[in-house]
Amino acid sequence: MEFYRFRKISSLLGEFQELENNEIYFASPEELNDPMEGYRDIYWEGDFIAWKNLFRHYLLCLEWMCSGYLIGGEKWQFSEKDIPVHLGFDLYPTDKYRSLVSDIVNDFFSDSDLLSLINDICKRTTKIRRDELSFYLSRVHFYALKVIFNNYIKNGMYDKNKAEWIDDGRGLNLDGNFIELLEQMIERHEDNADRITSIFFSSTMRSHQQLNLIQVLNAEELRGNNIFILFDFYNKYINNLSKLMYSDWFTACFMRQNTNSSVWGNYGDNHTGVCMIFEAIEEDGSFKLPFHCKTGCSSSGAILGDVKMTLHKINYENGLESTDFFRNLGVLPIPKLNEMWYSDDGEMSLCAQEMNLDIDAWRKKYWDVYIRDITVKSLDWEYENEYRVILQSFLHDYSSKNERALKYDFSCLKGIIFGIKTSLEHKVEIIKIIRKKCLDSGRGAFDFYQAYYSPNERKILHYKLGLLKFSHHTDSDGAETDGHAQETGSQ
């Protein structure tokens, strides 16, 4: 079956030489044109152990950023990517640092109001989503900072005279019966419980964010990293939590149609680019393309091999299915997962039950959800009729862009359609490259097409450049030389 990939000339022939190198670039979600790419509708629904470990994890990540600020101040700008969500005690460099962090954790959980809050959160009857989690973290944030900096002061790491804000009254900030009142409201509006809680927390956090903005505007002494730690951290932290669920992924996009003028305009560089035609291999009920990529590791580095990668059909829907955070922590090794998230004082969380009962069934469900969430787009994009090949970094590091340019099998490139406005110069350059590849591989034919607008069909069609043929020439000794294009009397 044919699949189409639109390319700009600058990528095909320019800096990256994709055509010459038989390469397809796999883009990160951030590089795609839909801002919703990679977004997951995550919810948090766990027992006391899971929730306590989340607050503990939050504290550890916050402390790491605070210690970075003590060392570097404003020398480098903190960003969301700097939050170490994979942090564990094994990553702390010295025994003294580990002892300091243990004291911070113990002081943090010594507050009975915090433990009561965690206990009340466990009793919530509707799923807790981002805004509600942000609400709770914003209420404990300054308390967490006070615990951290009080321990810094005890250990001579921070000047007490600079810590006036520690005693400004901003501690654990939540009415004791808040969740009880929330649950009463939910019970009265049972039919619309999820919608009501969503509206309540989203409006609450929008107001909170505006108050933070006003506070920063009125505090001229605050700078970039101050602002990040004091006001931005808890939302950036929540954004980063998905890294504990699924590894990074990258994609190469294909389509099942090439007649849409908007597609040619967006992906074919305003019709000046080309549409590459790939012939996929049908195998085990799906369509695949072979790529040369990392297949394993050895002491000398990555092992490369040929892999048939599946073309996943994009599902176009209104809204995304939700994903349970505590039961999809698949990036961490199981021993570390049990240590950091599923255990407390020798007790195990119920959130680990499904995984521990049948690890194979859990893994299958986990990967099904992984693929489901990255192969869905809103109905606004349905005109693309997209398929995508997924490259994921669970076993291999693909953070470098150079590592994500994978070589494809030239035999799968069936033809090329020139855009309506592709220049003659670029057509000639493309034909010469393809001609050489055909001769080097012993391939006898390659199809070129020209796109045009059909007023009768009211869409972009294409016709075959049937007069364009490749021929082999021999020298006086009978040796084969470079091929040349020639015209024939028929198509």
Side-chain angles (χ1 to χ4, degrees), residues 81-128:
K81 294 180 180 179
D82 296 319
I83 299 175
V85 291
H86 297 95
L87 183 66
F89 271 102
D90 55 320
L91 297 180
Y92 289 102
T94 65
D95 290 338
K96 186 175 182 179
Y97 195 176
R98 284 189 287 272
S99 177
L100 168 68
V101 171
S102 293
D103 289 342
I104 290 172
V105 171
N106 290 333
D107 288 352
F108 182 67
F109 286 115
S110 67
D111 190 292
S112 59
D113 288 337
L114 174 62
L115 296 177
S116 295
L117 169 63
I118 297 172
N119 191 57
D120 288 340
I121 291 174
C122 299
K123 299 175 183 177
R124 288 280 289 105
T125 55
T126 59
K127 296 174 181 177
I128 294 176

Side-chain angles (χ1 to χ4, degrees), residues 244-246 324-334 337 342 350-370 394:
L244 293 171
M245 300 173 67
Y246 298 104
D324 187 336
F325 173 80
F326 288 122
R327 291 166 179 80
N328 284 280
L329 296 171
V331 169
L332 297 175
I334 291 179
L337 180 59
Y342 291 153
L350 294 175
C351 298
Q353 195 172 60
E354 184 179 1
M355 180 185 73
N356 291 329
L357 283 175
D358 191 337
I359 186 64
D360 291 332
W362 179 87
R363 281 200 182 103
K364 183 182 184 307
K365 181 179 177 181
Y366 171 84
W367 286 113
D368 286 346
V369 172
Y370 174 82
F394 187 74

Side-chain angles (χ1 to χ4, degrees), residues 432-483:
K432 286 182 177 179
I433 292 172
I434 294 297
R435 179 178 65 192
K436 184 177 185 304
K437 288 182 176 294
C438 287
L439 294 175
D440 290 345
S441 63
R443 182 168 172 176
F446 190 94
D447 295 329
F448 291 98
Y449 303 86
Q450 177 61 55
Y452 69 97
Y453 176 73
S454 170
N456 293 326
E457 298 288 337
R458 296 185 179 181
K459 58 185 177 182
I460 305 297
L461 300 180
H462 57 271
Y463 62 87
K464 186 176 179 180
L465 302 179
L467 298 178
L468 184 64
K469 300 289 184 181
F470 298 152
S471 65
H472 294 266
H473 291 265
T474 55
D475 59 19
S476 58
D477 297 322
E480 188 178 83
T481 61
D482 191 13

Side-chain angles (χ1 to χ4, degrees), residues 242-362:
S242 61
K243 293 181 180 179
L244 293 171
M245 300 173 67
Y246 298 104
S247 59
D248 291 336
W249 59 276
F250 312 91
T251 186
C253 301
F254 298 79
M255 298 181 186
R256 283 287 297 126
Q257 58 87 18
N258 55 40
T259 61
N260 188 292
S261 182
S262 179
V263 169
W264 269 102
N266 291 334
Y267 303 106
D269 201 14
N270 195 26
H271 298 259
T272 63
V274 304
C275 175
M276 306 173 75
I277 307 172
F278 287 88
E279 185 70 33
I281 302 165
E282 187 171 6
E283 188 176 275
D284 299 328
S286 61
F287 294 98
K288 301 180 180 181
L289 286 175
F291 287 91
H292 194 67
C293 59
K294 297 175 183 177
T295 58
C297 298
S298 68
S299 57
S300 58
I303 300 172
L304 300 178
D306 295 323
V307 177
K308 295 175 184 176
M309 300 175 69
T310 300
L311 285 145
H312 297 278
K313 180 178 175 59
I314 295 296
N315 298 306
Y316 299 96
E317 302 173 0
N318 277 324
L320 301 172
E321 293 190 53
S322 57
T323 306
D324 187 336
F325 173 80
F326 288 122
R327 291 166 179 80
N328 284 280
L329 296 171
V331 169
L332 297 175
I334 291 179
K336 193 170 184 178
L337 180 59
N338 285 328
E339 174 194 349
M340 292 183 61
W341 289 95
Y342 291 153
S343 64
D344 182 50
D345 291 334
E347 292 187 44
M348 289 296 292
S349 169
L350 294 175
C351 298
Q353 195 172 60
E354 184 179 1
M355 180 185 73
N356 291 329
L357 283 175
D358 191 337
I359 186 64
D360 291 332
W362 179 87

Side-chain angles (χ1 to χ4, degrees), residues 6-261:
F6 292 83
R7 299 306 291 156
K8 298 179 180 180
I9 294 297
S10 58
S11 298
L12 208 62
L13 303 177
E15 175 186 359
F16 304 110
Q17 295 289 303
E18 290 180 349
L19 187 62
E20 179 68 40
N21 297 328
N22 287 356
E23 288 180 343
I24 288 179
Y25 176 69
F26 284 71
S28 67
E30 294 78 17
E31 294 173 293
L32 302 175
N33 60 359
D34 183 357
M36 295 301 293
E37 290 283 6
Y39 178 85
R40 295 182 188 273
D41 182 16
I42 301 171
Y43 67 90
W44 288 260
E45 194 172 54
D47 57 12
F48 184 86
I49 294 172
W51 275 108
K52 183 180 178 182
N53 283 328
L54 184 143
F55 279 90
R56 173 178 171 271
H57 181 261
Y58 178 82
L59 179 71
L60 295 179
C61 290
L62 179 59
E63 189 284 325
W64 187 274
M65 300 304 294
C66 290
S67 64
Y69 182 73
L70 290 186
I71 296 170
E74 298 291 340
K75 290 181 181 179
W76 65 87
Q77 181 61 52
F78 291 161
S79 73
E80 182 177 310
K81 294 180 180 179
D82 296 319
I83 299 175
V85 291
H86 297 95
L87 183 66
F89 271 102
D90 55 320
L91 297 180
Y92 289 102
T94 65
D95 290 338
K96 186 175 182 179
Y97 195 176
R98 284 189 287 272
S99 177
L100 168 68
V101 171
S102 293
D103 289 342
I104 290 172
V105 171
N106 290 333
D107 288 352
F108 182 67
F109 286 115
S110 67
D111 190 292
S112 59
D113 288 337
L114 174 62
L115 296 177
S116 295
L117 169 63
I118 297 172
N119 191 57
D120 288 340
I121 291 174
C122 299
K123 299 175 183 177
R124 288 280 289 105
T125 55
T126 59
K127 296 174 181 177
I128 294 176
R129 285 186 158 80
R130 293 170 189 258
D131 284 332
E132 185 172 354
L133 178 58
S134 178
F135 174 82
Y136 296 133
L137 293 181
S138 71
R139 290 331 190 244
V140 305
H141 183 67
F142 278 95
Y143 165 67
L145 285 172
K146 288 180 181 183
V147 171
I148 291 168
F149 277 88
N150 277 330
N151 275 273
Y152 288 170
I153 292 170
K154 288 179 187 177
N155 286 269
M157 299 168 58
Y158 193 72
D159 186 352
K160 185 176 181 180
N161 295 323
K162 295 180 180 179
E164 298 89 354
W165 62 272
I166 287 181
D167 297 314
D168 66 357
R170 288 185 292 187
L172 189 61
N173 180 19
L174 192 67
D175 293 336
N177 62 347
F178 168 79
I179 293 181
E180 181 182 345
L181 294 173
L182 175 64
E183 286 295 330
Q184 290 176 6
M185 180 183 71
I186 290 171
E187 187 176 354
R188 290 194 302 269
H189 304 279
E190 186 176 355
D191 293 341
N192 294 303
D194 287 326
R195 182 172 180 272
I196 288 173
T197 53
S198 175
I199 292 173
F200 173 80
F201 284 107
S202 62
S203 61
T204 300
M205 291 315 298
R206 287 169 187 171
S207 298
H208 184 72
Q209 290 165 10
Q210 292 177 65
L211 292 173
N212 283 347
L213 176 60
I214 293 170
Q215 193 165 355
V216 172
L217 283 171
N218 293 332
E220 296 181 0
E221 73 278 6
L222 292 179
R223 295 185 180 181
N225 289 342
N226 283 138
I227 295 171
F228 183 91
I229 289 175
L230 293 175
F231 301 107
D232 275 353
F233 178 82
Y234 47 86
N235 282 320
K236 303 299 185 186
Y237 169 82
I238 294 172
N239 292 342
N240 261 14
L241 281 178
S242 61
K243 293 181 180 179
L244 293 171
M245 300 173 67
Y246 298 104
S247 59
D248 291 336
W249 59 276
F250 312 91
T251 186
C253 301
F254 298 79
M255 298 181 186
R256 283 287 297 126
Q257 58 87 18
N258 55 40
T259 61
N260 188 292
S261 182

Side-chain angles (χ1 to χ4, degrees), residues 380-476:
D380 296 333
W381 300 93
E382 192 172 15
Y383 71 95
E384 292 182 344
N385 199 3
E386 181 186 343
Y387 284 71
R388 59 177 48 162
V389 178
I390 304 297
L391 179 68
Q392 55 93 9
S393 61
F394 187 74
L395 297 176
H396 305 290
D397 181 18
Y398 290 107
S399 56
S400 170
K401 290 187 175 184
N402 292 334
E403 297 284 338
R404 306 203 301 266
L406 303 189
K407 292 188 178 297
Y408 60 85
D409 189 331
F410 176 65
S411 66
C412 291
L413 182 59
K414 183 178 179 181
I416 289 178
I417 305 171
F418 297 121
I420 292 174
K421 296 192 288 187
T422 307
S423 72
L424 184 59
E425 178 184 1
H426 289 147
K427 291 178 185 179
V428 169
E429 188 173 353
I430 288 169
I431 291 170
K432 286 182 177 179
I433 292 172
I434 294 297
R435 179 178 65 192
K436 184 177 185 304
K437 288 182 176 294
C438 287
L439 294 175
D440 290 345
S441 63
R443 182 168 172 176
F446 190 94
D447 295 329
F448 291 98
Y449 303 86
Q450 177 61 55
Y452 69 97
Y453 176 73
S454 170
N456 293 326
E457 298 288 337
R458 296 185 179 181
K459 58 185 177 182
I460 305 297
L461 300 180
H462 57 271
Y463 62 87
K464 186 176 179 180
L465 302 179
L467 298 178
L468 184 64
K469 300 289 184 181
F470 298 152
S471 65
H472 294 266
H473 291 265
T474 55
D475 59 19
S476 58

